[in-house]
Amino acid sequence: MPLEAGLLEILACPACRASLREENASEETPELVCESRSCGLAYPIRDGIPVLLVDEARRPA
C-alpha cells in the first residue's frame, strides 16, 4: 500500500532533514529512502506506518 503523496511532502529524514522517497525493494519490504547523497538512510514501513527512527534505519550499501 503506497503512502499518500501529501504525506511524503511533509515527511523528512530525521537524521539530515532531506526529503524522502518511497521505494519498494520487494512487496514485503517497502521503505522510505533519504534523497541526500551524504545520508541515504532507508527507513522501514511496517503495516503501512513509516518507522522514522535512525536506530531502525538501514545504512546505504
Side-chain angles (χ1 to χ4, degrees):
M1 166 186 272
L3 295 175
E4 293 182 27
L7 180 61
L8 280 176
E9 289 178 16
I10 61 172
L11 290 178
C13 175
C16 71
R17 304 291 182 230
S19 58
L20 299 167
R21 72 175 181 280
E22 190 170 11
E23 223 175 72
N24 290 320
S26 73
E27 290 284 326
E28 298 172 7
T29 59
E31 53 191 14
L32 293 177
V33 179
C34 177
E35 292 188 333
S36 169
R37 288 184 178 199
S38 62
C39 180
L41 291 174
Y43 300 92
I45 300 173
R46 295 187 186 125
D47 299 322
I49 301 169
V51 180
L52 298 177
L53 299 171
V54 175
D55 291 343
E56 296 283 327
R58 179 178 59 79
R59 296 277 173 198

